[in-house]
PDB file of all heavy atoms in Angstrom:
ATOM      1  N   THR A   1       0.820  -1.196   0.003  1.00 35.00           N
ATOM      2  CA  THR A   1      -0.002  -0.001   0.002  1.00 35.00           C
ATOM      3  C   THR A   1       0.863   1.248  -0.002  1.00 35.00           C
ATOM      4  O   THR A   1       0.620   2.203  -0.727  1.00 35.00           O
ATOM      5  CB  THR A   1      -0.931   0.010   1.224  1.00 35.00           C
ATOM      6  OG1 THR A   1      -1.737  -1.157   1.201  1.00 35.00           O
ATOM      7  CG2 THR A   1      -1.804   1.250   1.243  1.00 35.00           C
ATOM      8  N   ALA A   2       1.918   1.223   0.829  1.00 32.00           N
ATOM      9  CA  ALA A   2       2.785   2.400   0.942  1.00 32.00           C
ATOM     10  C   ALA A   2       3.553   2.659  -0.347  1.00 32.00           C
ATOM     11  O   ALA A   2       3.792   3.814  -0.711  1.00 32.00           O
ATOM     12  CB  ALA A   2       3.775   2.192   2.082  1.00 32.00           C
ATOM     13  N   THR A   3       3.937   1.603  -1.048  1.00 32.00           N
ATOM     14  CA  THR A   3       4.739   1.764  -2.270  1.00 32.00           C
ATOM     15  C   THR A   3       3.888   1.954  -3.507  1.00 32.00           C
ATOM     16  O   THR A   3       4.408   2.321  -4.558  1.00 32.00           O
ATOM     17  CB  THR A   3       5.636   0.547  -2.497  1.00 32.00           C
ATOM     18  OG1 THR A   3       4.810  -0.615  -2.615  1.00 32.00           O
ATOM     19  CG2 THR A   3       6.623   0.368  -1.346  1.00 32.00           C
ATOM     20  N   GLY A   4       2.579   1.679  -3.416  1.00 36.00           N
ATOM     21  CA  GLY A   4       1.716   1.836  -4.584  1.00 36.00           C
ATOM     22  C   GLY A   4       1.679   0.638  -5.469  1.00 36.00           C
ATOM     23  O   GLY A   4       1.039   0.652  -6.528  1.00 36.00           O
ATOM     24  N   LEU A   5       2.360  -0.438  -5.097  1.00 37.00           N
ATOM     25  CA  LEU A   5       2.385  -1.631  -5.955  1.00 37.00           C
ATOM     26  C   LEU A   5       1.052  -2.343  -5.975  1.00 37.00           C
ATOM     27  O   LEU A   5       0.641  -2.912  -6.966  1.00 37.00           O
ATOM     28  CB  LEU A   5       3.468  -2.606  -5.493  1.00 37.00           C
ATOM     29  CG  LEU A   5       4.881  -2.294  -5.954  1.00 37.00           C
ATOM     30  CD1 LEU A   5       5.850  -3.248  -5.270  1.00 37.00           C
ATOM     31  CD2 LEU A   5       5.004  -2.403  -7.467  1.00 37.00           C
ATOM     32  N   ALA A   6       0.345  -2.374  -4.839  1.00 38.00           N
ATOM     33  CA  ALA A   6      -0.843  -3.190  -4.755  1.00 38.00           C
ATOM     34  C   ALA A   6      -2.132  -2.381  -4.665  1.00 38.00           C
ATOM     35  O   ALA A   6      -3.195  -2.936  -4.734  1.00 38.00           O
ATOM     36  CB  ALA A   6      -0.768  -4.131  -3.549  1.00 38.00           C
ATOM     37  N   VAL A   7      -2.047  -1.095  -4.521  1.00 36.00           N
ATOM     38  CA  VAL A   7      -3.266  -0.308  -4.364  1.00 36.00           C
ATOM     39  C   VAL A   7      -3.298   0.779  -5.434  1.00 36.00           C
ATOM     40  O   VAL A   7      -2.306   1.442  -5.676  1.00 36.00           O
ATOM     41  CB  VAL A   7      -3.339   0.353  -2.964  1.00 36.00           C
ATOM     42  CG1 VAL A   7      -4.585   1.196  -2.825  1.00 36.00           C
ATOM     43  CG2 VAL A   7      -3.277  -0.693  -1.890  1.00 36.00           C
ATOM     44  N   SER A   8      -4.410   0.919  -6.098  1.00 39.00           N
ATOM     45  CA  SER A   8      -4.540   1.950  -7.109  1.00 39.00           C
ATOM     46  C   SER A   8      -5.909   2.609  -6.963  1.00 39.00           C
ATOM     47  O   SER A   8      -6.837   2.046  -6.402  1.00 39.00           O
ATOM     48  CB  SER A   8      -4.394   1.357  -8.513  1.00 39.00           C
ATOM     49  OG  SER A   8      -5.361   0.364  -8.722  1.00 39.00           O
ATOM     50  N   THR A   9      -6.029   3.804  -7.483  1.00 38.00           N
ATOM     51  CA  THR A   9      -7.289   4.515  -7.385  1.00 38.00           C
ATOM     52  C   THR A   9      -8.194   4.111  -8.530  1.00 38.00           C
ATOM     53  O   THR A   9      -7.762   3.629  -9.547  1.00 38.00           O
ATOM     54  CB  THR A   9      -7.039   6.027  -7.433  1.00 38.00           C
ATOM     55  OG1 THR A   9      -6.324   6.339  -8.617  1.00 38.00           O
ATOM     56  CG2 THR A   9      -6.239   6.465  -6.231  1.00 38.00           C
ATOM     57  N   GLY A  10      -9.497   4.307  -8.321  1.00 44.00           N
ATOM     58  CA  GLY A  10     -10.475   3.802  -9.275  1.00 44.00           C
ATOM     59  C   GLY A  10     -10.564   4.608 -10.536  1.00 44.00           C
ATOM     60  O   GLY A  10     -10.101   5.744 -10.622  1.00 44.00           O
ATOM     61  N   GLY A  11     -11.209   4.009 -11.551  1.00 53.00           N
ATOM     62  CA  GLY A  11     -11.477   4.697 -12.784  1.00 53.00           C
ATOM     63  C   GLY A  11     -12.887   4.403 -13.226  1.00 53.00           C
ATOM     64  O   GLY A  11     -13.127   3.411 -13.870  1.00 53.00           O
ATOM     65  N   CYS A  12     -13.846   5.214 -12.852  1.00 53.00           N
ATOM     66  CA  CYS A  12     -15.226   4.919 -13.242  1.00 53.00           C
ATOM     67  C   CYS A  12     -15.919   6.179 -13.700  1.00 53.00           C
ATOM     68  O   CYS A  12     -15.656   7.266 -13.208  1.00 53.00           O
ATOM     69  CB  CYS A  12     -16.022   4.266 -12.107  1.00 53.00           C
ATOM     70  SG  CYS A  12     -16.201   5.288 -10.646  1.00 53.00           S
ATOM     71  N   LEU A  13     -16.812   6.036 -14.665  1.00 51.00           N
ATOM     72  CA  LEU A  13     -17.634   7.118 -15.148  1.00 51.00           C
ATOM     73  C   LEU A  13     -19.040   6.951 -14.608  1.00 51.00           C
ATOM     74  O   LEU A  13     -19.585   5.837 -14.660  1.00 51.00           O
ATOM     75  CB  LEU A  13     -17.710   7.094 -16.695  1.00 51.00           C
ATOM     76  CG  LEU A  13     -16.470   7.554 -17.461  1.00 51.00           C
ATOM     77  CD1 LEU A  13     -16.682   7.266 -18.936  1.00 51.00           C
ATOM     78  CD2 LEU A  13     -16.230   9.027 -17.253  1.00 51.00           C
ATOM     79  N   ARG A  14     -19.642   7.995 -14.115  1.00 44.00           N
ATOM     80  CA  ARG A  14     -21.062   7.934 -13.787  1.00 44.00           C
ATOM     81  C   ARG A  14     -21.828   8.065 -15.100  1.00 44.00           C
ATOM     82  O   ARG A  14     -21.576   8.957 -15.890  1.00 44.00           O
ATOM     83  CB  ARG A  14     -21.436   9.082 -12.846  1.00 44.00           C
ATOM     84  CG  ARG A  14     -20.751   8.969 -11.505  1.00 44.00           C
ATOM     85  CD  ARG A  14     -21.286   7.801 -10.711  1.00 44.00           C
ATOM     86  NE  ARG A  14     -20.565   7.657  -9.454  1.00 44.00           N
ATOM     87  CZ  ARG A  14     -20.777   6.692  -8.602  1.00 44.00           C
ATOM     88  NH1 ARG A  14     -21.672   5.766  -8.873  1.00 44.00           N
ATOM     89  NH2 ARG A  14     -20.089   6.623  -7.479  1.00 44.00           N
ATOM     90  N   LEU A  15     -22.759   7.172 -15.317  1.00 47.00           N
ATOM     91  CA  LEU A  15     -23.489   7.180 -16.574  1.00 47.00           C
ATOM     92  C   LEU A  15     -24.874   7.835 -16.366  1.00 47.00           C
ATOM     93  O   LEU A  15     -25.517   7.668 -15.331  1.00 47.00           O
ATOM     94  CB  LEU A  15     -23.677   5.746 -17.080  1.00 47.00           C
ATOM     95  CG  LEU A  15     -22.363   5.043 -17.414  1.00 47.00           C
ATOM     96  CD1 LEU A  15     -22.674   3.659 -17.959  1.00 47.00           C
ATOM     97  CD2 LEU A  15     -21.549   5.827 -18.407  1.00 47.00           C
ATOM     98  N   ALA A  16     -25.308   8.512 -17.389  1.00 40.00           N
ATOM     99  CA  ALA A  16     -26.604   9.197 -17.320  1.00 40.00           C
ATOM    100  C   ALA A  16     -27.737   8.210 -17.457  1.00 40.00           C
ATOM    101  O   ALA A  16     -27.568   7.104 -17.960  1.00 40.00           O
ATOM    102  CB  ALA A  16     -26.684  10.253 -18.432  1.00 40.00           C
ATOM    103  N   GLU A  17     -28.916   8.609 -17.014  1.00 39.00           N
ATOM    104  CA  GLU A  17     -30.084   7.786 -17.207  1.00 39.00           C
ATOM    105  C   GLU A  17     -30.385   7.690 -18.710  1.00 39.00           C
ATOM    106  O   GLU A  17     -30.103   8.595 -19.479  1.00 39.00           O
ATOM    107  CB  GLU A  17     -31.300   8.420 -16.494  1.00 39.00           C
ATOM    108  CG  GLU A  17     -31.171   8.437 -14.997  1.00 39.00           C
ATOM    109  CD  GLU A  17     -31.219   7.039 -14.420  1.00 39.00           C
ATOM    110  OE1 GLU A  17     -31.876   6.177 -15.009  1.00 39.00           O
ATOM    111  OE2 GLU A  17     -30.577   6.826 -13.384  1.00 39.00           O
ATOM    112  N   PRO A  18     -31.007   6.579 -19.184  1.00 36.00           N
ATOM    113  CA  PRO A  18     -31.348   6.461 -20.601  1.00 36.00           C
ATOM    114  C   PRO A  18     -32.336   7.551 -21.004  1.00 36.00           C
ATOM    115  O   PRO A  18     -33.157   8.002 -20.207  1.00 36.00           O
ATOM    116  CB  PRO A  18     -31.969   5.069 -20.686  1.00 36.00           C
ATOM    117  CG  PRO A  18     -32.417   4.731 -19.290  1.00 36.00           C
ATOM    118  CD  PRO A  18     -31.420   5.418 -18.408  1.00 36.00           C
ATOM    119  N   ASP A  19     -32.247   7.950 -22.277  1.00 37.00           N
ATOM    120  CA  ASP A  19     -33.075   9.057 -22.742  1.00 37.00           C
ATOM    121  C   ASP A  19     -34.546   8.725 -22.741  1.00 37.00           C
ATOM    122  O   ASP A  19     -35.373   9.536 -22.355  1.00 37.00           O
ATOM    123  CB  ASP A  19     -32.627   9.467 -24.171  1.00 37.00           C
ATOM    124  CG  ASP A  19     -31.248  10.082 -24.148  1.00 37.00           C
ATOM    125  OD1 ASP A  19     -30.851  10.604 -23.105  1.00 37.00           O
ATOM    126  OD2 ASP A  19     -30.560   9.992 -25.177  1.00 37.00           O
ATOM    127  N   SER A  20     -34.921   7.532 -23.193  1.00 34.00           N
ATOM    128  CA  SER A  20     -36.332   7.203 -23.292  1.00 34.00           C
ATOM    129  C   SER A  20     -36.498   5.705 -23.335  1.00 34.00           C
ATOM    130  O   SER A  20     -35.590   4.962 -23.659  1.00 34.00           O
ATOM    131  CB  SER A  20     -36.966   7.829 -24.531  1.00 34.00           C
ATOM    132  OG  SER A  20     -36.344   7.323 -25.715  1.00 34.00           O
ATOM    133  N   GLY A  21     -37.719   5.242 -23.020  1.00 38.00           N
ATOM    134  CA  GLY A  21     -38.036   3.828 -23.120  1.00 38.00           C
ATOM    135  C   GLY A  21     -37.267   3.008 -22.106  1.00 38.00           C
ATOM    136  O   GLY A  21     -36.659   3.508 -21.202  1.00 38.00           O
ATOM    137  N   ASN A  22     -37.333   1.679 -22.329  1.00 38.00           N
ATOM    138  CA  ASN A  22     -36.647   0.774 -21.403  1.00 38.00           C
ATOM    139  C   ASN A  22     -35.426   0.148 -22.020  1.00 38.00           C
ATOM    140  O   ASN A  22     -34.879  -0.793 -21.487  1.00 38.00           O
ATOM    141  CB  ASN A  22     -37.604  -0.327 -20.903  1.00 38.00           C
ATOM    142  CG  ASN A  22     -38.111  -1.183 -22.053  1.00 38.00           C
ATOM    143  OD1 ASN A  22     -37.793  -0.927 -23.201  1.00 38.00           O
ATOM    144  ND2 ASN A  22     -38.910  -2.178 -21.708  1.00 38.00           N
ATOM    145  N   GLU A  23     -34.971   0.687 -23.148  1.00 39.00           N
ATOM    146  CA  GLU A  23     -33.760   0.172 -23.783  1.00 39.00           C
ATOM    147  C   GLU A  23     -32.653   1.166 -23.541  1.00 39.00           C
ATOM    148  O   GLU A  23     -32.721   2.312 -23.976  1.00 39.00           O
ATOM    149  CB  GLU A  23     -33.992  -0.047 -25.272  1.00 39.00           C
ATOM    150  CG  GLU A  23     -32.738  -0.620 -25.963  1.00 39.00           C
ATOM    151  CD  GLU A  23     -33.037  -1.086 -27.367  1.00 39.00           C
ATOM    152  OE1 GLU A  23     -34.188  -1.366 -27.692  1.00 39.00           O
ATOM    153  OE2 GLU A  23     -32.086  -1.179 -28.156  1.00 39.00           O
ATOM    154  N   SER A  24     -31.602   0.747 -22.833  1.00 38.00           N
ATOM    155  CA  SER A  24     -30.524   1.660 -22.429  1.00 38.00           C
ATOM    156  C   SER A  24     -29.405   1.596 -23.428  1.00 38.00           C
ATOM    157  O   SER A  24     -29.094   0.562 -23.973  1.00 38.00           O
ATOM    158  CB  SER A  24     -30.013   1.252 -21.049  1.00 38.00           C
ATOM    159  OG  SER A  24     -31.092   1.193 -20.137  1.00 38.00           O
ATOM    160  N   SER A  25     -28.748   2.731 -23.626  1.00 36.00           N
ATOM    161  CA  SER A  25     -27.630   2.770 -24.558  1.00 36.00           C
ATOM    162  C   SER A  25     -26.469   3.434 -23.887  1.00 36.00           C
ATOM    163  O   SER A  25     -26.570   4.534 -23.363  1.00 36.00           O
ATOM    164  CB  SER A  25     -28.007   3.532 -25.822  1.00 36.00           C
ATOM    165  OG  SER A  25     -26.931   3.618 -26.702  1.00 36.00           O
ATOM    166  N   ALA A  26     -25.305   2.768 -23.899  1.00 35.00           N
ATOM    167  CA  ALA A  26     -24.126   3.313 -23.228  1.00 35.00           C
ATOM    168  C   ALA A  26     -23.505   4.424 -24.030  1.00 35.00           C
ATOM    169  O   ALA A  26     -23.546   4.449 -25.250  1.00 35.00           O
ATOM    170  CB  ALA A  26     -23.109   2.205 -23.007  1.00 35.00           C
ATOM    171  N   ALA A  27     -22.887   5.378 -23.350  1.00 32.00           N
ATOM    172  CA  ALA A  27     -22.179   6.446 -24.040  1.00 32.00           C
ATOM    173  C   ALA A  27     -20.973   5.888 -24.748  1.00 32.00           C
ATOM    174  O   ALA A  27     -20.391   4.901 -24.354  1.00 32.00           O
ATOM    175  CB  ALA A  27     -21.768   7.517 -23.031  1.00 32.00           C
ATOM    176  N   SER A  28     -20.533   6.568 -25.837  1.00 30.00           N
ATOM    177  CA  SER A  28     -19.435   6.049 -26.627  1.00 30.00           C
ATOM    178  C   SER A  28     -18.198   6.916 -26.575  1.00 30.00           C
ATOM    179  O   SER A  28     -17.252   6.710 -27.297  1.00 30.00           O
ATOM    180  CB  SER A  28     -19.886   5.944 -28.111  1.00 30.00           C
ATOM    181  OG  SER A  28     -20.266   7.216 -28.596  1.00 30.00           O
ATOM    182  N   GLU A  29     -18.203   7.905 -25.675  1.00 32.00           N
ATOM    183  CA  GLU A  29     -17.072   8.818 -25.604  1.00 32.00           C
ATOM    184  C   GLU A  29     -15.835   8.117 -25.076  1.00 32.00           C
ATOM    185  O   GLU A  29     -15.922   7.123 -24.379  1.00 32.00           O
ATOM    186  CB  GLU A  29     -17.406  10.039 -24.743  1.00 32.00           C
ATOM    187  CG  GLU A  29     -17.474   9.753 -23.246  1.00 32.00           C
ATOM    188  CD  GLU A  29     -18.830   9.260 -22.825  1.00 32.00           C
ATOM    189  OE1 GLU A  29     -19.630   8.956 -23.725  1.00 32.00           O
ATOM    190  OE2 GLU A  29     -19.085   9.162 -21.623  1.00 32.00           O
ATOM    191  N   THR A  30     -14.691   8.660 -25.383  1.00 29.00           N
ATOM    192  CA  THR A  30     -13.446   8.155 -24.832  1.00 29.00           C
ATOM    193  C   THR A  30     -13.214   8.762 -23.467  1.00 29.00           C
ATOM    194  O   THR A  30     -13.990   9.589 -23.012  1.00 29.00           O
ATOM    195  CB  THR A  30     -12.272   8.519 -25.757  1.00 29.00           C
ATOM    196  OG1 THR A  30     -12.234   9.936 -25.922  1.00 29.00           O
ATOM    197  CG2 THR A  30     -12.429   7.868 -27.126  1.00 29.00           C
ATOM    198  N   ALA A  31     -12.140   8.319 -22.790  1.00 30.00           N
ATOM    199  CA  ALA A  31     -11.879   8.804 -21.449  1.00 30.00           C
ATOM    200  C   ALA A  31     -11.736  10.322 -21.444  1.00 30.00           C
ATOM    201  O   ALA A  31     -11.118  10.920 -22.327  1.00 30.00           O
ATOM    202  CB  ALA A  31     -10.612   8.158 -20.907  1.00 30.00           C
ATOM    203  N   THR A  32     -12.334  10.949 -20.433  1.00 30.00           N
ATOM    204  CA  THR A  32     -12.324  12.399 -20.359  1.00 30.00           C
ATOM    205  C   THR A  32     -11.824  12.822 -18.999  1.00 30.00           C
ATOM    206  O   THR A  32     -11.580  12.029 -18.112  1.00 30.00           O
ATOM    207  CB  THR A  32     -13.746  12.958 -20.578  1.00 30.00           C
ATOM    208  OG1 THR A  32     -14.609  12.412 -19.590  1.00 30.00           O
ATOM    209  CG2 THR A  32     -14.261  12.602 -21.954  1.00 30.00           C
ATOM    210  N   ASP A  33     -11.693  14.129 -18.819  1.00 29.00           N
ATOM    211  CA  ASP A  33     -11.294  14.669 -17.528  1.00 29.00           C
ATOM    212  C   ASP A  33     -12.280  14.222 -16.468  1.00 29.00           C
ATOM    213  O   ASP A  33     -13.480  14.133 -16.710  1.00 29.00           O
ATOM    214  CB  ASP A  33     -11.226  16.187 -17.574  1.00 29.00           C
ATOM    215  CG  ASP A  33     -10.099  16.682 -18.447  1.00 29.00           C
ATOM    216  OD1 ASP A  33      -9.179  15.884 -18.727  1.00 29.00           O
ATOM    217  OD2 ASP A  33     -10.153  17.859 -18.848  1.00 29.00           O
ATOM    218  N   GLY A  34     -11.792  13.980 -15.285  1.00 26.00           N
ATOM    219  CA  GLY A  34     -12.648  13.527 -14.214  1.00 26.00           C
ATOM    220  C   GLY A  34     -12.649  12.037 -14.028  1.00 26.00           C
ATOM    221  O   GLY A  34     -13.193  11.528 -13.066  1.00 26.00           O
ATOM    222  N   VAL A  35     -12.039  11.299 -14.960  1.00 24.00           N
ATOM    223  CA  VAL A  35     -11.939   9.859 -14.819  1.00 24.00           C
ATOM    224  C   VAL A  35     -10.584   9.541 -14.190  1.00 24.00           C
ATOM    225  O   VAL A  35      -9.544   9.859 -14.731  1.00 24.00           O
ATOM    226  CB  VAL A  35     -12.042   9.171 -16.192  1.00 24.00           C
ATOM    227  CG1 VAL A  35     -11.895   7.664 -16.010  1.00 24.00           C
ATOM    228  CG2 VAL A  35     -13.355   9.502 -16.855  1.00 24.00           C
ATOM    229  N   THR A  36     -10.602   8.949 -13.010  1.00 26.00           N
ATOM    230  CA  THR A  36      -9.366   8.606 -12.323  1.00 26.00           C
ATOM    231  C   THR A  36      -8.848   7.293 -12.873  1.00 26.00           C
ATOM    232  O   THR A  36      -9.552   6.304 -12.897  1.00 26.00           O
ATOM    233  CB  THR A  36      -9.618   8.444 -10.829  1.00 26.00           C
ATOM    234  OG1 THR A  36     -10.265   9.634 -10.361  1.00 26.00           O
ATOM    235  CG2 THR A  36      -8.315   8.239 -10.080  1.00 26.00           C
ATOM    236  N   THR A  37      -7.640   7.250 -13.348  1.00 26.00           N
ATOM    237  CA  THR A  37      -7.109   6.057 -13.974  1.00 26.00           C
ATOM    238  C   THR A  37      -6.212   5.300 -13.038  1.00 26.00           C
ATOM    239  O   THR A  37      -5.666   5.825 -12.094  1.00 26.00           O
ATOM    240  CB  THR A  37      -6.307   6.432 -15.247  1.00 26.00           C
ATOM    241  OG1 THR A  37      -5.266   7.325 -14.866  1.00 26.00           O
ATOM    242  CG2 THR A  37      -7.207   7.086 -16.269  1.00 26.00           C
ATOM    243  N   SER A  38      -6.089   3.995 -13.320  1.00 29.00           N
ATOM    244  CA  SER A  38      -5.290   3.122 -12.468  1.00 29.00           C
ATOM    245  C   SER A  38      -3.814   3.430 -12.611  1.00 29.00           C
ATOM    246  O   SER A  38      -3.332   3.769 -13.682  1.00 29.00           O
ATOM    247  CB  SER A  38      -5.541   1.672 -12.858  1.00 29.00           C
ATOM    248  OG  SER A  38      -4.714   0.818 -12.143  1.00 29.00           O
ATOM    249  N   GLN A  39      -3.063   3.309 -11.524  1.00 27.00           N
ATOM    250  CA  GLN A  39      -1.631   3.531 -11.528  1.00 27.00           C
ATOM    251  C   GLN A  39      -0.855   2.277 -11.163  1.00 27.00           C
ATOM    252  O   GLN A  39       0.226   2.351 -10.607  1.00 27.00           O
ATOM    253  CB  GLN A  39      -1.293   4.657 -10.525  1.00 27.00           C
ATOM    254  CG  GLN A  39      -2.007   5.959 -10.839  1.00 27.00           C
ATOM    255  CD  GLN A  39      -1.586   6.543 -12.168  1.00 27.00           C
ATOM    256  OE1 GLN A  39      -0.428   6.462 -12.512  1.00 27.00           O
ATOM    257  NE2 GLN A  39      -2.527   7.072 -12.908  1.00 27.00           N
TER     258      GLN A  39
END
């Protein structure tokens, strides 16, 4: 943990609610600011 070898910070995007109906569609954007990446 101290050296960073075994612990890394998360990388997740909060996804918006689907626009309509009961069929959900995931966003297609690439990684953007605000996404914490693994080290």
